Amino acid sequence: MVKIIAIANQKGGVAKTTTAVNLAASLAVLKKRVLLVDLDAQGNATMGSGVHKNELNYSIADVMLGDAPIEAAINKVESNYKVLGSNRELAGAELVIAEQEQREFILRDALKQIENNFDFILIDCAPSLNLITVNAFCAADSVLIPMQCEYYALEGLADLCQTIERINQTLNPNLEILGVLRTMYDGRSALTKDVSEELEQYFGDKLFQTVIPRNVRLAEAPAHGVPVMYFEKSSKGAVSYLTFAAELVKKMKKAAQKQAEQKQGAKS
Ligand SMILES: Nc1ncnc2c1ncn2[C@@H]1O[C@H](COP(=O)(O)OP(=O)(O)O)[C@@H](O)[C@H]1O
Ligand SMILES: [Mg+2]
């Protein structure tokens, strides 16, 4: 069954898009069928995947406004995953969507039509908790939170967790936090270590073991329109995102097994 993961943090610059693009490519290497949905009007995940945001046949805004069937908006990219692209039209679309009935479920209903074609659907969210991001939370099974281990990292995290909790209790009872990924990690910095420890205490086993180090190749790859592994395969950035993808797949498999066992236990 498809896993739909929203990659979110209302802070900008914490590597949401970098994680979305490189996780998509890494899962594709693991032979998973992946759709990356760019849900940020900046269109960085679109461009970073090698699809020009201003030359889209149809964007996610067209799909959410009902102007295009979702199949027609999906682009195939060389890195073996598919992309539903975005551009500034999404900012305008939000106002129109806000007037609609069922306005929180527009993305969910659109994805339902194609979700069986994929093992993973990753949604790259904008740095905001607006209606478009709420659509991501209503479509998703879980939220992946990339975080930079800096002094203010934990600030704002409570808001994000509260929003996820509120949506879980009202609009989408399936929604849960998948985990927290430490990005731009500098193991030599005492501050990074302090914040990292705090995250461990706060999130326990929801904190992924893999950390993504600071790596200039990760910052350079988007200018070439490719995930880092197609830019420099042996870079620390490429290796760490592959390791992370493997950890994530393993964790999800374990969780599914546990759930199946619990179901079995409840029956007998
Ligand atoms: N591990 C990393 N090492 C170095 N630079 C990074 C790393 N992760 C992200 N970046 C850079 O940091 C900036 C913000 O990342 P981005 O993924 O766009 O964040 P967000 O989507 O959360 O706003 C970008 O310029 C990106 O290339
Ligand atoms: Mg981004």
Side-chain angles (χ1 to χ4, degrees):
M1 221 173 74
V2 64
K3 290 284 171 204
I4 306 183
I5 302 172
I7 301 174
N9 186 328
Q10 75 276 34
K11 261 182 196 276
V14 298
K16 287 181 290 297
T17 300
T18 305
T19 297
V21 167
N22 291 292
L23 179 59
S26 299
L27 288 169
V29 169
L30 298 177
K31 302 270 182 270
K32 304 294 179 191
R33 299 168 301 162
V34 184
L35 173 66
L36 171 56
V37 180
D38 189 348
L39 212 56
D40 186 344
Q42 293 187 63
N44 292 344
T46 306
M47 296 291 285
S49 298
V51 178
H52 203 293
K53 63 180 176 184
N54 295 326
E55 291 166 14
L56 297 169
N57 282 336
Y58 297 109
S59 71
I60 184 70
D62 295 315
V63 173
M64 291 183 77
L65 292 172
D67 292 339
I70 188 163
E71 294 91 344
I74 294 177
N75 304 275
K76 198 169 180 317
V77 297
E78 279 176 27
S79 317
N80 297 321
Y81 60 94
K82 291 186 177 164
V83 178
L84 194 42
S86 173
N87 54 35
R88 51 202 287 252
E89 283 173 23
L90 188 61
E94 191 190 351
L95 298 173
V96 181
I97 288 165
E99 301 292 316
Q100 293 179 5
E101 254 178 74
Q102 296 277 306
R103 56 189 191 165
E104 292 94 353
F105 300 111
I106 292 168
L107 181 65
R108 181 195 68 182
D109 294 345
L111 292 179
K112 279 248 177 305
Q113 299 169 37
I114 46 97
E115 64 181 24
N116 289 336
N117 302 337
F118 297 99
D119 300 309
F120 284 91
I121 298 179
L122 306 179
I123 308 174
D124 182 30
C125 294
S128 137
L129 295 174
N130 62 14
L131 176 60
I132 299 287
T133 304
V134 169
N135 261 267
F137 289 163
C138 288
D141 308 304
S142 62
V143 184
L144 169 62
I145 308 174
M147 274 189 78
Q148 210 178 329
C149 292
E150 51 168 28
Y151 189 64
Y152 294 112
L154 296 166
E155 204 183 73
L157 196 61
D159 284 344
L160 178 59
C161 292
Q162 246 171 37
T163 302
I164 294 169
E165 180 68 29
R166 207 182 61 230
I167 292 198
N168 171 283
Q169 284 166 8
T170 54
L171 300 168
N172 179 7
N174 296 325
L175 190 69
E176 58 176 11
I177 294 178
L178 175 64
V180 172
L181 174 67
R182 289 164 285 181
T183 61
M184 295 180 242
Y185 192 88
D186 175 5
R188 290 167 310 181
S189 143
L191 180 62
T192 295
K193 280 188 191 145
D194 284 354
V195 175
S196 209
E197 262 170 35
E198 235 174 301
L199 285 175
E200 233 158 82
Q201 277 172 13
Y202 195 86
F203 285 103
D205 64 359
K206 291 262 179 201
L207 187 67
F208 283 100
Q209 306 250 301
T210 311
V211 298
I212 309 298
R214 206 170 260 291
N215 177 233
V216 68
R217 296 289 178 256
L218 278 167
E220 290 168 346
H224 302 265
V226 287
V228 70
M229 69 176 66
Y230 295 96
F231 180 56
E232 197 172 304
K233 204 168 103 184
S234 59
S235 62
K236 274 195 300 182
V239 173
S240 60
Y241 271 109
L242 270 169
T243 309
F244 170 55
E247 183 186 354
L248 186 136
V249 167
K250 197 169 153 194
K251 190 174 180 178
M252 289 185 122
K253 209 168 159 184
K254 236 181 171 173
Q257 263 168 2
K258 204 169 157 189
Q259 219 175 19
E261 279 166 19
Q262 276 169 353
K263 250 191 197 162
Q264 200 64 36
K267 265 191 211 158
S268 59

